[in-house]
């Protein structure tokens, strides 16, 4: 199933919020402790979810929307690591078999977490992995495929983050959400558009893989060269066709940042707020610190904190 509507309904978002109550953490919204920042920057700390990522919202809502017949043969997903943990965790709760197809550059920290949750891991090349995202299936698997981006229940789960942002900061001026496949960015933006339409909704991308910036410049999805990096949670070879209507209706612009800016943001967030953000998780903060989102109240969604310890040590000692 793919998204057809250019915006997710408020009714679907509210229903997801009710479904997730008591099953996921209502994460805090805290001020970034930097006095000389170019804006009043806030952090929406989804890295504090049990699996270290917002994907627990998406996976929980997707399982709730599935029937017993759909789940009878287990589940599988394609993920660089965070959605994999969400799906694997829910599958373990329900005693269902789970397979996760990961790109061959997935970080060890995420692979170890998937393994602890009992899922079978299949490594493929990035191009083969991306083809699964495009095709919505993987040959040989007969379980329910939980699409990590465009499944309606997945996106509705993501939307609940936007509801919480507006509840905690009703006069928010801008929200920055890292852009991977668009499920998080468009989900959060859907809720913001319903409740705080004056706010700008930005997507953050890394310069080594910024398909949204290329698509917005071209006026349509266009293929780009994907360069793997430690920022594994975002970036792809193109914007998904089914996401393009949502993107064009919801996203103000793409804010592209460098690897060095993301490394600096990881260091700063850890030093000032004692919060660990993975590469994708720090990309929005990097954009805000670079004065790309305006000078008012800017919320940066920190979607995950699953960073390899070796990369963390390298970042904080450099």
């Amino acid at each position: 199933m793919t998204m057809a509507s250019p915006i997710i309904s408020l009714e679907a978002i509210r229903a997801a919020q009710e479904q997730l109550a008591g099953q996921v953490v209502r994460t805090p919204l805290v001020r970034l402790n930097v006095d000389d920042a170019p804006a009043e920057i806030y952090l929406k700390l989804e890295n504090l979810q049990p699996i270290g990522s917002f994907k627990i919202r998406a996976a929980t809502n997707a399982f709730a929307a599935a029937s017993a017949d759909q789940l009878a043969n287990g589940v599988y997903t394609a993920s660089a690591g965070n959605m994999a943990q969400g799906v694997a965790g829910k599958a373990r709760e329900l005693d269902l078999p789970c397979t996760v197809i990961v790109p061959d550059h997935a970080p060890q920290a995420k692979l170890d977490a998937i393994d602890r949750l009992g899922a079978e891991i299949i490594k493929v090349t990035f191009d083969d992995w991306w083809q699964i995202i495009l095709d919505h299936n993987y040959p040989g698997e007969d379980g329910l495929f939980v699409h990590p981006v465009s499944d309606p229940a997945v996106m509705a789960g993501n939307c609940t983050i936007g509801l919480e942002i507006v509840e905690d900061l009703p006069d928010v001026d801008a929200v920055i959400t890292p852009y991977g496949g668009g499920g998080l960015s468009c989900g959060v933006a859907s809720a913001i558009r319903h409740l705080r339409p004056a706010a700008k909704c930005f997507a953050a991308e890394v310069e080594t893989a910024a398909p949204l910036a290329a698509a917005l410049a071209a006026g349509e999805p266009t293929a780009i060269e994907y360069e793997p990096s430690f920022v594994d949670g975002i970036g792809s070879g193109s914007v998904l066709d089914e996401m393009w209507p949502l993107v064009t209706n919801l996203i103000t612009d793409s804010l592209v940042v460098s690897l060095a800016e993301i490394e600096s943001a990881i260091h700063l967030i850890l030093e000032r707020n004692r919060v660990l953000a993975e590469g994708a998780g720090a990309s929005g903060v990097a954009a805000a610190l670079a004065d790309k989102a305006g000078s008012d109240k800017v919320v940066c969604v920190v979607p995950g904190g699953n960073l390899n310890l070796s990369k963390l040590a390298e970042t904080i000692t450099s």
Side-chain angles (χ1 to χ4, degrees), residues 12-83:
I13 301 171
R14 294 288 190 196
Q17 187 178 45
E18 291 182 13
Q19 178 62 49
L20 298 183
Q23 298 193 67
V24 304
V25 175
R26 192 194 186 287
T27 55
L29 184 70
V30 302
R31 182 78 180 269
L32 179 65
N33 297 325
V34 178
D35 293 334
D36 58 349
E40 190 176 314
I41 302 174
Y42 294 82
L43 310 175
K44 178 60 172 169
L45 298 178
E46 285 297 296
N47 59 315
L48 298 183
Q49 293 291 353
I51 61 168
S53 163
F54 78 99
K55 291 290 191 179
I56 191 67
R57 297 178 187 258
T60 300
N61 206 49
F63 273 74
S67 67
D69 286 344
Q70 289 176 306
L71 296 172
N73 294 321
V75 295
Y76 72 103
T77 191
S79 166
N82 285 336
M83 186 63 174

Side-chain angles (χ1 to χ4, degrees), residues 128-145:
D128 287 345
W129 178 82
W130 186 245
Q131 196 61 48
I132 300 166
I133 304 295
L134 296 175
D135 293 343
H136 293 239
N137 68 76
Y138 182 68
E141 292 293 331
D142 58 359
L144 174 67
F145 180 59

